[in-house]
Amino acid sequence: MEFPEEEKKSLNFIEAIIEEDITENKNEGRIHTRFPPEPNGYLHIGHAKSICLNFGLADEYNGLCNLRFDDTNPTKEDVEYVDSIKEDISWLGFEWDGEPKYASDYFEQLYEWAIKLIEEGKAYVDEQPQELISEQRGIPTRPGIESVYRNRPVEENLELFAKMKNGEFPTGAMVLRAKINMSSPNMHMRDPIMYRILHQTHHRTGDKWCIYPMYDWAHGQSDFIEGITHSICTLEFEIHRPLYDWALDQIVEGSYRPRQIEFARLNLSYTVMSKRKLLELVQGKYVSGWDDPRMPTISGFRRRGYTPESIRWFADRIGVAKRDNVIDVSLLEFSVREHLNKVAPRKMAVLNPVKVIITNYPENEIEQLPVNNNPNDENAGTRMVPFTKEIFIERDDFMEDPPRKFFRLGPDREVRLIGAYIIKCEDYKKDADGNIEEIYCTYDVDTKSGGTGANRKVKGTIHWVSATEGVNAEVRLYDRLFLDEDPAGHKDKDFKEFLNPDSLKVLKDCIIEPSVTDLNNCDNMQFQRLGYFSIDKESAEGKLIINRTVPLRDSWAKRK
RNA sequence: UGCCCGAUGGUGUAAUUGGCAACACGUCUGACUCUGAAUCAGAAGAGUCCAGGUUCGACCCCUGGUCGGGCAACCA
């Protein structure tokens, strides 16, 4: 499915940079981007922005985009994450160039470059304790203090570094530091650490290595090895750029050189996007897993019924810039509705039922009525829905004492049942507490859909399900992603305070029309007037569990 | 009291080499409809953080402020 026409935008700032680079024929006009996740969690909607950007730019300029796992910290990483990341990117509809790449594939090369650095007197082994190194680095407003090991002879550094590699020292005993500038106003330039000792099994290299490069000694080099031209990352790496360039200066020969460009990460209202916090939700069993339908992860959205198209449209719409932003979830939901409105077949379900008895309809009769699958799509066809003497309608669709502008059912009022007849309310029964128990109506045979009297105008049309032929299911209704308050401005508060304690309980019985059970798992549908839904992949024993993807806009509800 | 970013309608993004601020969402009207959805038509809403300067002319360039974000992990 193509993007909506009107969405063609003018250039964003990254496109402008790229076009300029092409004009100047930098890197022979080649465009090669990359998406470099650390496999330490599942991808979330924020990553989707980065994915769409990197892969999208490559498409747009006939370039390539790599998938590279930035796996330089074995303590947090796992193959489970590698697999989920690949799956999510593919599901979004993007294809990376060649095989997935791994920073760990370059460990040998990185090590050799580090030796070269030492030989040139630009790096040294520091065996001071972590706390001391950190203290000596100083504070942003004051210069740091040089390490006593800073001027260690090259030979000694070489020897020590080799021993580090060979596992002769315990974890944390010493590090390799770049010799740059201890009084730089940029903290990252104050002799940054390039290698640390970590006796930790790596998910890919196993126990082959016990020293691991830091981000700053791995990222730019990896970009260089892969021939990346535009290394696009989020704003928090802006301060690393001088170091990125410094690291490249040490290895680049010739004219090809990657370039780092930063953009503002996505913030979504009502949505927690910190990987650390999401991990906490998973580990604390607040949710059923990374793909819990309430999670703002790509897999969570998938399970909830979001489509890849809708997420891509969303990413396209929010644009890219350098200023901090908070995007309202309603824009995401708009994108979802926009797509689902076109493709989701319409079905009927009643969430909060009240029984309607059609007094002049024959007992035991079951009439199969053809109902449009999608009135906006002529090719969508029809389905048969059973109509019977007793039906359920939504409790909200009947009012004893209707206010002005209420178009649905009430005493002596007429209403059309979708795909069926016009009915008129003649009477109703209340229980001891005053709740409506049953509503008695008559139907007008001539008004059957497509029939002779079908053109008669009534103000309202409501949905219904046969009381005797309908099927029972469970629906999960989720409101915002799982926060009932906007976390913006509450950064430091414990985010669990915002976790809606009722969100898992929003599980209701509902009655659905039989044709719903024909849907394949995870297919999308629209329950008319209720929203878009999808069948959960984990249907309970015999009972369908249905997630609400997103509610329909409801201007009547807003009135109230 | 350091360094690096940023600042345009409610929100997000635009504005060819400086030429009287555009688009989308949202909001509000109205029309239509066998979904109070969708669709269609229309409207309101910013004078571009502030103060100077350069210029015939500045959102755009310069200077100085203000506000917001980031930076002191052997994380990425």
Side-chain angles (χ1 to χ4, degrees):
Chain A
M1 169 156 292
E2 290 305 309
F3 279 69
E5 273 302 320
E6 83 279 4
E7 302 291 337
K8 280 165 194 156
K9 296 182 169 186
S10 42
L11 298 188
N12 63 46
F13 82 101
I14 299 182
E15 291 167 326
I17 290 174
I18 289 179
E19 300 209 348
E20 198 184 320
D21 287 350
I22 291 174
T23 308
E24 293 171 12
N25 200 36
K26 279 191 189 157
N27 305 319
E28 286 87 46
R30 230 166 27 83
I31 302 301
H32 204 330
T33 57
R34 104 267 92 112
F35 174 64
E38 183 187 10
N40 66 348
Y42 279 54
L43 261 20
H44 55 63
I45 184 74
H47 294 109
K49 175 179 181 180
S50 178
I51 292 169
C52 294
L53 225 199
N54 278 296
F55 285 92
L57 250 13
D59 279 350
E60 191 180 340
Y61 293 102
N62 286 314
L64 299 168
C65 182
N66 286 3
L67 167 60
R68 177 168 76 235
F69 291 98
D70 225 338
D71 54 353
T72 55
N73 183 6
T75 60
K76 296 202 277 181
E77 299 157 4
D78 196 277
V79 279
E80 175 196 352
Y81 300 131
V82 170
D83 294 340
S84 73
I85 288 168
K86 288 187 207 163
E87 185 186 355
D88 289 345
I89 296 172
S90 300
W91 178 76
L92 279 175
F94 295 108
E95 245 175 76
W96 49 83
D97 179 46
E99 290 297 306
K101 313 283 193 290
Y102 297 82
S104 56
D105 289 342
Y106 314 136
F107 281 172
E108 193 66 46
Q109 174 67 265
L110 261 16
Y111 177 73
E112 282 165 26
W113 276 330
I115 288 173
K116 176 172 174 265
L117 207 58
I118 297 172
E119 286 170 347
E120 290 170 358
K122 291 174 179 169
Y124 60 98
V125 172
D126 195 339
E127 50 194 286
Q128 299 183 113
Q130 187 172 162
E131 303 73 44
L132 190 56
I133 291 179
S134 163
E135 199 183 311
Q136 288 175 346
R137 192 143 27 217
I139 54 171
T141 51
R142 294 242 178 291
I145 301 166
E146 295 186 355
S147 165
V148 294
Y149 299 108
R150 196 170 201 260
N151 296 310
R152 202 194 280 277
V154 169
E155 284 313 312
E156 205 177 309
N157 282 322
L158 248 19
E159 194 179 322
L160 248 23
F161 189 50
K163 285 183 176 174
M164 278 170 66
K165 185 204 174 200
N166 294 333
E168 295 184 30
F169 305 113
T171 292
M174 49 188 74
V175 292
L176 182 73
R177 287 228 259 171
K179 196 188 285 185
I180 305 182
N181 178 3
M182 284 307 286
S183 51
S184 167
N186 182 342
M187 297 297 290
H188 292 277
M189 298 301 269
R190 321 246 264 223
D191 287 10
I193 289 163
M194 296 306 199
Y195 269 94
R196 77 283 213 189
I197 301 173
L198 234 41
H199 289 277
Q200 171 83 225
T201 304
H202 186 280
H203 63 99
R204 295 193 81 243
T205 59
D207 294 318
K208 182 174 178 206
W209 293 88
C210 63
I211 55 170
Y212 292 93
M214 301 292 290
Y215 168 86
D216 291 303
W217 189 247
H219 205 91
Q221 336 302 87
S222 301
D223 284 341
F224 182 74
I225 292 168
E226 294 178 15
I228 302 303
T229 56
H230 299 265
S231 186
I232 300 163
C233 60
T234 48
L235 245 26
E236 66 263 33
F237 291 101
E238 201 158 31
I239 199 93
H240 289 251
R241 184 158 19 107
L243 190 47
Y244 179 93
D245 287 330
W246 182 90
L248 247 25
D249 287 341
Q250 311 312 313
I251 60 167
V252 166
E253 289 164 12
S255 62
Y256 155 67
R257 187 189 176 98
R259 162 179 192 174
Q260 175 178 311
I261 302 167
E262 311 86 10
F263 70 97
R265 67 170 349 130
L266 167 70
N267 293 297
L268 249 198
S269 59
Y270 301 97
T271 309
V272 168
M273 251 174 324
S274 144
K275 256 192 202 177
R276 208 205 86 232
K277 290 175 178 175
L278 295 179
L279 180 65
E280 219 173 306
L281 288 173
V282 174
Q283 290 181 335
K285 307 258 195 255
Y286 292 94
V287 294
S288 63
W290 286 95
D291 69 342
D292 185 291
R294 289 166 301 163
M295 291 284 272
T297 51
I298 294 177
S299 49
F301 282 129
R302 176 166 65 232
R303 188 166 156 200
R304 182 166 163 160
Y306 279 52
T307 57
E309 287 88 342
S310 59
I311 293 175
R312 282 192 270 125
W313 293 358
F314 171 71
D316 190 62
R317 254 185 270 258
I318 59 178
V320 41
K322 291 190 78 162
R323 92 181 82 147
D324 294 319
N325 59 79
V326 180
I327 287 167
D328 202 288
V329 273
S330 64
L331 188 60
L332 211 210
E333 293 173 347
F334 164 80
S335 301
V336 176
R337 290 193 194 99
E338 183 183 42
H339 182 222
L340 258 20
N341 178 44
K342 292 186 181 122
V343 301
R346 265 100 265 222
K347 303 284 178 186
M348 290 192 285
V350 174
L351 261 41
N352 190 10
V354 62
K355 188 176 275 186
V356 170
I357 297 170
I358 299 161
T359 52
N360 59 340
Y361 195 81
E363 204 86 33
N364 298 326
E365 168 108 8
I366 301 173
E367 196 175 358
Q368 295 291 342
L369 300 174
V371 180
N372 272 131
N373 283 330
N374 187 342
N376 296 333
D377 179 2
E378 292 164 8
N379 302 320
T382 59
R383 67 189 185 282
M384 302 309 271
V385 181
F387 185 79
T388 52
K389 184 182 180 77
E390 295 190 359
I391 60 172
F392 287 119
I393 65 167
E394 214 67 60
R395 200 162 272 280
D396 292 352
D397 287 348
F398 177 85
M399 283 185 102
E400 230 185 318
D401 187 16
R404 263 177 1 101
K405 297 219 165 189
F406 180 80
F407 300 150
R408 280 111 92 163
L409 204 57
D412 294 320
R413 284 183 174 229
E414 280 192 322
V415 87
R416 171 171 287 286
L417 298 175
I418 289 175
Y421 302 93
I422 292 175
I423 58 170
K424 183 178 184 189
C425 171
E426 308 284 358
D427 198 7
Y428 55 97
K429 185 169 97 185
K430 294 204 279 189
D431 66 15
D433 299 328
N435 300 315
I436 307 291
E437 216 173 352
E438 284 180 342
I439 300 168
Y440 306 104
C441 293
T442 51
Y443 82 117
D444 181 346
V445 209
D446 295 334
T447 58
K448 182 171 167 176
S449 283
T452 50
N455 290 331
R456 219 173 91 208
K457 296 270 184 273
V458 282
K459 274 189 179 161
T461 303
I462 63 173
H463 56 99
W464 54 275
V465 169
S466 162
T468 43
E469 298 297 303
V471 180
N472 220 266
E474 281 182 1
V475 252
R476 288 178 182 152
L477 308 176
Y478 306 107
D479 286 326
R480 293 308 189 189
L481 302 183
F482 51 63
L483 297 181
D484 28 358
E485 264 184 80
D486 196 325
H490 297 98
K491 278 194 149 178
D492 299 325
K493 285 180 83 176
D494 185 350
F495 75 103
K496 277 177 214 149
E497 286 177 28
F498 301 111
L499 189 64
N500 181 352
D502 291 326
S503 47
L504 249 191
K505 294 178 200 148
V506 189
L507 190 76
K508 285 187 169 180
D509 270 345
C510 77
I511 324 286
I512 54 176
E513 56 167 88
S515 70
V516 171
T517 57
D518 294 339
L519 282 177
N520 292 321
N521 281 355
C522 262
D523 262 353
N524 295 100
M525 62 193 147
Q526 183 197 94
F527 284 152
Q528 302 201 88
R529 301 240 327 275
L530 299 177
Y532 294 99
F533 291 77
S534 71
I535 296 175
D536 200 290
K537 66 174 185 185
E538 286 173 16
S539 303
E541 317 71 35
K543 203 170 190 182
L544 279 181
I545 294 192
I546 297 170
N547 292 321
R548 180 164 70 185
T549 311
V550 59
L552 235 43
R553 284 162 45 109
D554 184 357
S555 56
W556 166 251
K558 247 186 331 192
R559 247 170 225 276
K560 290 190 288 188

